[in-house]
């Protein structure tokens, strides 16, 4: 509550005459700090947005700002077979990863919440490993293993490793919502005769659903965006959208990547903004 | 009473077994996807072509690896410093503003956190290339030829932006736990706001800074995409070296050895960071957008 002290207050009183010195809040936020905050926010958000004007460029180079405008790169994205194939591969993988990671991750989070044993923390750390292990190390070892297993460039190869990489996000999201869950409710359900599965389905799941759903969104986005491992385990027959984009930037200099980037940036922003805006709207009520 | 005791016993037994049972799918998946490949690479790095630690000693004696590791450590250090300098005031501000503003600031951190990495690196390429906006901006004030593309500076500028959420989120969750009344008390006792901040808040927030820094440092060490798009082959970092040894030289044993060392180094750092402030869970927790 102590953080609620706001500085705009004295400015309003200034209009109605000279305010006594004492009315200035003891704990005001200095102006320079607000300026730094705005600058950092700009640094965080603005650079990414240059891909949007780029995508409407008429030129065939990465010249910014563009001299002329056109929709040709969107046309190229939606008519070129390689881009469409990459997009559909990515969406298929991401959707499968979302389903599998959400199921397995939710089960694991619930399992960990019911285990008081000491090894449970070790298991949790192990399941969090893909979040902290460098993507390049995972890429190298998985590539070598997939060569042996003949899984390079296979749909299920992508789903397997992307699911492992998405698992920590589901685990964290579901664990967070489980922390507010009262286990007495399960005991109550069971004393009324519900089987454990039924108690989970009818009592626990509805209450932790927000965590499960945000875990699912995170899993989807993680897979859709993953590029390092995908660069290693791709094949000419199967590559995902980020791999196509990476090649368009580094090898082919194909401005269609600007259209693809803009679509992804707008999608991710909407996915993140919607829940935040809903939260703000709920506060206003 | 007897019936209740029986059901309770059954429940307890069920609870005892349902917990571990639910973990089986996740463990099987992680075993196949991560553990088996790691074990295979480790085994290969020890036995290919003959049993021994030669691939590990080569890392220190081939001359190239150490140079590149040194360059990578330097880059990670610059990125870490950059994220502290920009992230500390931002996270601090987040603890001071009202709820609406805080949600907006959190969104400013989360949007880049979830925006396509490839798209963002492409955006930085446009910004720092020859004749790009950054180049033009510097030319306008009379400094010519600031082309960051292909330099460590260009890589660092982009990496700081990419890593900033990884600093701000743990820092914020750490700072949110500091009682501001302590500062007010210091001021009531006659301290100036700046002195109160330096003597009270700063020492209390050091744990957050240290754990955030270690996390950013560890993650920066294994960066692949940003240096690949914005850097140059002459200035390659550890991740490029790993990629090159795997995809171009097909030297899987040497790549495996380097990969294992990089992994252990990263895990050691992250474990320390976790001990200091639970930054990894803070990261996950904050990315699930609490902002209460």
């Amino acid at each position: 509550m102590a953080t609620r002290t706001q500085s705009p207050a004295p400015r309003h009183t200034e209009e109605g005459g000279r305010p006594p010195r004492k009315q200035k809040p003891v704990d005001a936020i200095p102006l320079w700090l607000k300026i730094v905050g705005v600058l950092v926010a700009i640094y965080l958000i603005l650079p990414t947005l240059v891909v949007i004007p780029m995508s409407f460029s008429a030129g065939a180079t990465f010249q910014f700002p563009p001299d002329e405008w056109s929709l040709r790169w969107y046309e190229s994205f939606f008519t070129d077979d390689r881009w469409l194939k990459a997009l559909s591969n990515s969406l298929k993988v991401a959707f499968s990863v979302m389903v599998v990671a959400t199921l397995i991750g939710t089960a694991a989070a619930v399992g960990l919440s019911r285990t008081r044993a000491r090894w449970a923390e070790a298991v949790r750390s192990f399941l969090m490993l893909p979040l902290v292990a460098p993507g390049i190390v995972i890429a190298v070892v998985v590539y070598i293993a997939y060569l042996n297993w003949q899984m390079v460039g296979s749909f299920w190869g992508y789903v397997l490793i992307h699911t492992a990489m998405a698992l920590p996000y589901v685990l964290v999201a579901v664990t967070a919502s489980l922390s507010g869950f009262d286990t007495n409710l399960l005991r109550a359900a069971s004393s009324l005769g519900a089987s454990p599965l039924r108690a989970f389905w009818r009592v626990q799941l509805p209450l932790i659903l927000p965590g499960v759903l945000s875990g699912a969104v995170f899993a989807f986005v993680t897979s859709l965006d993953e590029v390092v491992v995908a660069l290693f385990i791709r094949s000419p027959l199967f590559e995902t959208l980020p791999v196509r984009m990476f090649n368009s930037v580094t090898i082919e200099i194909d401005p269609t990547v600007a259209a693809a980037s803009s679509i992804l940036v707008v999608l991710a922003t909407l996915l993140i903004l919607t829940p935040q805006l809903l939260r703000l709207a709920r506060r206003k009520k | 009473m007897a019936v209740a005791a029986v059901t309770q016993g059954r429940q307890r037994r069920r609870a005892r077994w349902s917990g571990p049972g639910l973990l089986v799918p996740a463990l099987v998946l992680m075993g196949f996807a991560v553990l088996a490949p790691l074990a295979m690479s480790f085994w290969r790095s020890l036995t290919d072509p003959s049993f021994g630690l030669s691939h590990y000693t080569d890392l220190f004696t081939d001359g190239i690896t150490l140079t590149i590791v040194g360059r990578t450590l330097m880059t990670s250090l610059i990125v870490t410093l950059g994220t502290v300098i920009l992230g500390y005031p931002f996270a601090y501000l987040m603890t001071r503003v009202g709820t609406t503003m805080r949600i907006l600031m959190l969104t400013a951190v989360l949007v880049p956190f979830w925006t396509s990495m490839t798209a963002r690196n492409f955006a930085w390429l446009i910004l720092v290339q020859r004749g790009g906006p950054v180049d033009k901006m510097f030319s306008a004030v009379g400094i010519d030829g600031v082309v960051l593309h292909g330099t460590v500076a260009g890589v660092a500028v982009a990496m700081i932006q990419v890593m900033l959420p990884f600093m701000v989120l743990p820092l914020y969750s750490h700072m949110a736990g500091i009682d501001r009344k302590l500062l007010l008390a210091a001021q009531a006792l006659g301290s100036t706001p700046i002195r109160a901040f330096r003597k009270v808040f700063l020492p209390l927030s050091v744990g957050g800074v240290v754990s955030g820094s270690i996390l950013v440092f560890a993650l920066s060490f294994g960066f692949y995409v940003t240096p690949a798009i914005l850097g140059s082959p002459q200035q390659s970092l550890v991740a490029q070296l790993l990629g090159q040894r795997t995809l171009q030289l097909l030297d899987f044993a040497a790549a495996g050895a380097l990969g294992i060392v990089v992994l252990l180094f990263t895990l050691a750092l992250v474990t320390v960071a976790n001990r200091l402030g639970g930054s990894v869970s803070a990261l996950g927790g904050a990315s699930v957008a609490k902002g209460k």
Side-chain angles (χ1 to χ4, degrees):
Chain A
M1 285 312 264
T3 59
R4 206 52 70 78
T5 35
Q6 285 279 16
S7 64
R11 207 164 289 162
H12 289 292
T13 51
E14 257 167 55
E15 288 168 358
R18 197 156 39 87
R21 186 88 173 83
K22 270 182 192 160
Q23 265 191 8
K24 194 179 169 192
V26 202
D27 207 18
I29 305 173
L31 181 66
W32 66 266
L33 186 62
K34 289 183 194 163
I35 294 171
V36 170
V38 171
L39 290 178
V40 171
I42 289 173
Y43 177 63
L44 277 168
I45 292 173
L46 217 54
T48 317
L49 297 182
V50 302
V51 299
I52 294 172
M54 273 304 293
S55 66
F56 294 108
S57 163
T61 59
F62 291 156
Q63 183 59 41
F64 185 89
D67 298 327
E68 278 177 279
W69 307 91
S70 81
L71 287 173
R72 63 187 279 202
W73 303 119
Y74 284 95
E75 196 193 328
S76 149
F77 182 83
F78 286 110
T79 52
D80 186 333
D81 232 25
R82 291 185 309 166
W83 282 98
L84 286 181
K85 195 88 203 338
L87 175 67
S88 91
N89 285 344
S90 265
L91 289 176
K92 277 183 212 155
V93 171
F95 190 76
S96 314
V97 167
M98 179 179 81
V99 172
V100 181
T102 307
L103 283 175
I104 294 182
T106 305
V110 172
L112 283 172
S113 77
R114 289 183 188 172
T115 314
R116 294 273 168 274
R118 247 209 246 129
W119 49 262
E121 270 319 293
V123 169
R124 187 185 295 276
S125 304
F126 173 61
L127 296 181
M128 294 295 284
L129 184 71
L131 184 71
V132 290
I136 184 69
V137 176
I138 296 187
V140 167
V141 299
V142 165
Y143 173 65
I144 297 172
Y146 278 17
L147 279 179
N148 279 332
W149 299 340
Q150 276 152 24
M151 277 171 70
V152 170
S154 72
F155 171 79
W156 290 108
Y158 277 95
V159 173
L160 177 66
I161 187 61
H162 280 185
T163 303
M165 295 174 85
L167 203 60
Y169 290 104
V170 179
L171 199 61
V172 165
V174 178
T175 304
S177 60
L178 277 171
S179 69
F181 178 79
D182 183 358
T183 38
N184 284 326
L185 292 174
L186 281 183
R187 213 166 295 157
S190 144
S191 76
L192 293 171
S195 68
L197 194 66
R198 200 177 156 82
F200 171 78
W201 191 251
R202 297 294 295 271
V203 178
Q204 191 165 27
L205 187 62
L207 286 168
I208 62 168
L209 200 60
V212 176
L213 289 180
S214 64
V217 171
F218 292 147
F220 185 82
V221 178
T222 304
S223 168
L224 194 65
D225 188 33
E226 201 285 320
V227 62
V228 183
V229 177
L231 273 173
F232 280 72
I233 61 168
R234 69 171 161 186
S235 76
L237 296 174
F238 195 101
E239 57 179 16
T240 55
L241 189 59
V243 171
R244 189 90 268 287
M245 289 166 69
F246 185 89
N247 288 339
S248 311
V249 176
T250 53
I251 305 168
E252 298 159 22
I253 321 288
D254 170 9
T256 309
V257 67
S261 297
S262 304
I263 294 169
L264 284 186
V265 167
V266 171
L267 269 182
T269 309
L270 287 181
L271 271 179
I272 297 302
L273 276 185
T274 314
Q276 303 283 52
L277 290 178
L278 284 180
R279 180 129 35 93
L280 275 181
R282 216 178 305 140
R283 271 183 53 76
K284 291 259 163 64
K285 265 181 207 164
Chain B
M1 268 318 262
V3 177
V6 168
T7 26
Q8 237 179 26
R10 198 182 297 150
Q11 265 165 39
R12 227 173 267 152
R13 228 169 303 128
R14 257 185 208 151
R16 200 180 305 148
W17 289 110
S18 71
L22 288 168
L23 291 170
V24 170
L27 290 173
V28 169
L29 175 89
M30 281 287 291
F32 269 109
V34 180
L35 209 56
L38 267 175
M40 284 167 76
S41 284
F42 181 59
W43 181 245
R44 194 151 183 181
S45 72
L46 290 176
T47 56
D48 185 12
S50 61
F51 190 81
L53 288 172
S54 65
H55 291 295
Y56 291 87
T57 49
D58 281 355
L59 296 178
F60 296 94
T61 51
D62 66 3
I64 312 161
T65 310
L66 278 189
T67 313
I68 292 179
V69 166
R71 184 185 297 136
T72 312
L73 288 175
M74 207 53 216
T75 311
S76 306
L77 199 65
I78 294 168
V79 171
T80 308
L81 278 177
T83 54
V84 172
I85 291 168
L86 297 178
Y88 192 93
F90 194 80
Y92 175 67
L93 193 59
M94 273 176 82
T95 65
R96 295 290 307 277
V97 294
T99 316
T100 305
M101 199 60 201
R102 184 154 56 234
I103 293 176
L104 286 177
M105 288 177 80
L106 189 66
T107 311
V109 177
L110 288 180
V111 167
F113 191 76
W114 287 107
T115 304
S116 160
M117 277 286 233
T118 328
R120 286 165 76 191
N121 283 301
F122 170 55
W124 277 108
L125 175 72
I126 296 165
L127 286 173
V128 302
Q129 67 184 339
R130 188 174 303 279
V134 173
D135 188 9
K136 277 187 192 150
M137 204 173 72
F138 277 102
S139 299
V141 291
I143 308 165
D144 271 328
V146 181
V147 180
L148 295 174
H149 183 206
T151 66
V152 172
V155 173
V157 168
M159 270 174 76
I160 291 171
Q161 190 225 7
V162 173
M163 296 309 290
L164 204 47
F166 292 85
M167 175 63 76
V168 171
L169 296 177
L171 254 185
Y172 167 68
S173 81
H174 192 97
M175 285 176 175
I178 298 175
D179 192 347
R180 271 205 77 71
K181 286 184 197 118
L182 293 173
L183 277 106
L184 296 176
Q187 274 171 260
L189 293 169
S191 171
T192 63
I194 292 174
R195 198 178 147 80
F197 178 82
R198 223 184 47 212
K199 290 277 183 186
V200 179
F201 193 88
L202 202 58
L204 286 173
S205 66
V206 162
V209 175
V210 173
S211 64
S213 299
I214 297 174
L215 185 69
V216 168
F217 188 85
L219 292 177
S220 307
F221 192 77
F223 247 59
Y224 183 75
V225 177
T226 309
I229 291 182
L230 294 167
S232 78
Q234 286 78 38
Q235 298 279 318
S236 68
L237 303 181
V238 165
Q240 269 67 53
L241 185 67
L242 256 172
Q244 194 196 21
R245 280 199 183 151
T246 312
L247 290 179
Q248 281 153 35
L249 305 176
L250 301 175
D251 190 352
F252 296 155
L258 181 59
I260 301 278
V261 172
V262 169
L263 178 67
L264 291 180
F265 176 71
T266 310
L267 290 185
L269 285 177
V270 170
T271 311
V272 174
N274 248 347
R275 287 273 153 76
L276 289 172
S279 57
V280 174
S281 42
L283 181 74
S287 66
V288 176
K290 40 182 184 186
K292 276 173 206 157

